[in-house]
Amino acid sequence: GMVAGRTARDRADAAADLAEQVGAHVLVYGHIDDRANPPELVLEFYVAPRVRVESAATIGRYQLGDPVSIPEGLTTDLLAEESLAGRVVDRSELLFWVLLSLRDDLLGRPEEALATLRRAETELDRLREQGDGKEHLYYFKGRSALFLDFFDEAETALQSAGASNPTYARAQIALGSVFLDRAQTLQTPEERAQDPANLERAIGSYEKALELARADNDPLNEVIAHLAFAAAYRLEAETWKSISQPDLDRAAQLYDPAIQELHLVVEPLEQADQVRLLAQAYATLGAAHTQHAQLLQIQGDLPASLGEYEEARRAFAGCIAQGDRAPEDELLQTEIIAHEESGCQHWDQVVDEILQGLQGG
């Protein structure tokens, strides 16, 4: 059949109808732009709703790679026909591998996703570094490696994504998170204070991502960039609160923008149905409120401290509640919610015990 429509949105709606008719989860289709010289084939795709939520924020809205120039003599020249067909097949295979890894990602299985993407990188080595959509392969590989704390592999893949497509905002956000996670897991507060390079590189990547998202008129990625900024502010505040000679005023000044940013991203992530990101936002918000409460407690402001602890509990409850919305997501369930040291359930219990002690006293 034909997927018709004057705009990408119209064609996506038509593709959705066709997919429902034939029972497809993914459709690759396209249209010829005869305004270009030579004419160009613009490849587009439709993804079923459960996967579309995540793919819309990562592999793009509708288009798959740059337009493909249509060689002269297409209808009479077998080689020209084979050349165009090969480009179409290559792009379709890229989308297949990316979606295969995305399935494992949505199920919270980064090891399987990374193994798939490593294999895909070998299988798709014929793709051009720019213009064929290869940045998506690099992005998902980098993100899966980051989930597993393979920082060097993640940085290499995400740098490749940025080189393949310099306007790819999500790759810049993920690259910033590599630097942020290095600062958080590989450095003590004293080391972060003395050598803030990782934090500075994280913030630089987030600033670039925000600029790219705004230029692309992409509100969801703007929200995700703000979430990333908040995580960086919170870690920087924690650093100045936790060093041997703490700078509490400096820490307090950083908790305020972190908390403000996090409150602003919750509703848009809820509306976009970004369950895992929403849980991460609530987890970061709970951590920021908890640490701010500890700071206020040190400063002797008990009423304000109690209020912050109560806010922390509400945030952790919001994080835990996301588990019912995506019970199949193992990463959400085991790492974000139920992790015995860093999960929302653990910190909800910790804050509850603190509140009972303070209120009982």
Side-chain angles (χ1 to χ4, degrees):
M2 178 175 290
V3 175
R6 295 181 61 85
T7 68
R9 177 70 264 176
D10 291 341
R11 291 188 293 273
D13 290 341
D17 292 339
L18 178 59
E20 185 174 354
Q21 293 174 25
V22 301
H25 294 100
V26 178
L27 285 179
V28 180
Y29 55 99
H31 70 282
I32 294 175
D33 183 358
D34 55 13
R35 296 170 299 178
N37 186 21
E40 294 177 330
L41 173 64
V42 180
L43 287 175
E44 297 172 321
F45 63 91
Y46 163 82
V47 181
R50 178 64 185 94
V51 180
R52 188 195 314 140
V53 169
E54 179 63 18
S55 66
T58 49
I59 61 176
R61 296 180 178 88
Y62 311 111
Q63 189 170 320
L64 183 61
D66 291 345
V68 180
S69 294
I70 298 176
E72 293 184 12
L74 178 64
T75 58
T76 58
D77 187 336
L78 181 61
L79 290 178
E81 182 179 341
E82 287 294 326
S83 173
L84 182 60
R87 300 288 297 280
V88 173
V89 169
D90 288 347
R91 301 279 184 93
S92 299
E93 287 186 7
L94 169 65
L95 183 61
F96 164 76
W97 284 107
V98 166
L99 290 171
L100 196 62
S101 73
L102 184 57
R103 177 200 62 184
D104 288 326
D105 179 272
L106 289 170
L107 293 172
R109 301 190 302 224
E111 297 93 343
E112 289 87 342
L114 182 57
T116 295
L117 292 160
R118 286 170 175 166
R119 179 182 170 193
E121 192 170 6
T122 300
E123 295 282 342
L124 300 173
D125 62 349
R126 62 188 177 277
L127 288 176
R128 297 177 304 168
E129 287 300 311
Q130 294 184 325
D132 281 351
K134 201 170 182 180
E135 64 269 21
H136 305 309
L137 174 62
Y138 290 134
Y139 167 75
F140 278 99
K141 182 184 177 187
R143 194 172 73 160
S144 296
L146 177 58
F147 284 148
L148 298 167
D149 290 342
F150 297 164
F151 297 125
D152 291 344
E153 183 175 8
E155 181 181 356
T156 298
L158 293 165
Q159 293 281 15
S160 296
S164 181
N165 182 356
T167 67
Y168 198 5
R170 277 300 288 273
Q172 285 299 321
I173 295 172
L175 181 61
S177 296
V178 172
F179 302 132
L180 188 69
D181 281 10
R182 275 182 176 149
Q184 182 162 296
T185 61
L186 302 181
Q187 291 180 291
T188 65
E190 298 288 347
E191 290 169 340
R192 286 196 298 269
Q194 294 170 11
D195 179 14
N198 280 317
L199 266 173
E200 290 171 352
R201 293 180 75 184
I203 291 172
S205 292
Y206 297 150
E207 288 173 344
K208 184 174 181 180
L210 187 58
E211 180 182 330
L212 292 172
R214 286 172 174 164
D216 195 34
N217 191 28
D218 191 337
L220 178 56
N221 276 328
E222 281 193 53
V223 169
I224 296 169
H226 282 293
L227 171 58
F229 268 121
Y233 292 145
R234 186 212 61 77
L235 183 59
E236 190 175 358
E238 179 190 345
T239 298
W240 295 112
K241 181 181 77 70
S242 304
I243 57 178
S244 57
Q245 295 182 333
D247 188 338
L248 298 184
D249 290 337
R250 187 170 181 176
Q253 291 171 1
L254 288 161
Y255 281 124
D256 287 338
I259 290 169
Q260 184 178 8
E261 291 270 13
L262 288 161
H263 278 291
L264 289 174
V265 305
V266 165
E267 184 176 352
L269 290 175
E270 176 72 55
Q271 292 176 347
D273 201 28
Q274 292 282 332
V275 175
R276 187 190 295 173
L277 283 172
L278 182 58
Q280 290 174 328
Y282 276 127
T284 306
L285 182 59
H289 278 303
T290 300
Q291 292 166 5
H292 195 204
Q294 293 168 338
L295 186 151
L296 291 167
Q297 195 175 347
I298 293 169
Q299 293 176 324
D301 191 344
L302 184 58
S305 177
L306 286 170
E308 286 294 286
Y309 280 128
E310 292 287 358
E311 289 290 340
R313 285 217 67 194
R314 279 190 279 273
F316 289 132
C319 169
I320 294 166
Q322 303 313 308
D324 292 336
R325 299 178 61 186
E328 75 286 353
D329 188 338
E330 293 180 17
L331 188 70
L332 170 65
Q333 301 292 339
T334 61
E335 296 298 317
I336 299 173
I337 295 175
H339 193 281
E340 61 183 12
E341 295 180 356
S342 60
C344 291
Q345 290 175 340
H346 167 76
W347 280 104
D348 180 62
Q349 184 177 353
V350 169
V351 172
D352 182 52
E353 292 172 357
I354 292 172
L355 278 170
Q356 289 184 30
L358 292 174
Q359 292 166 344

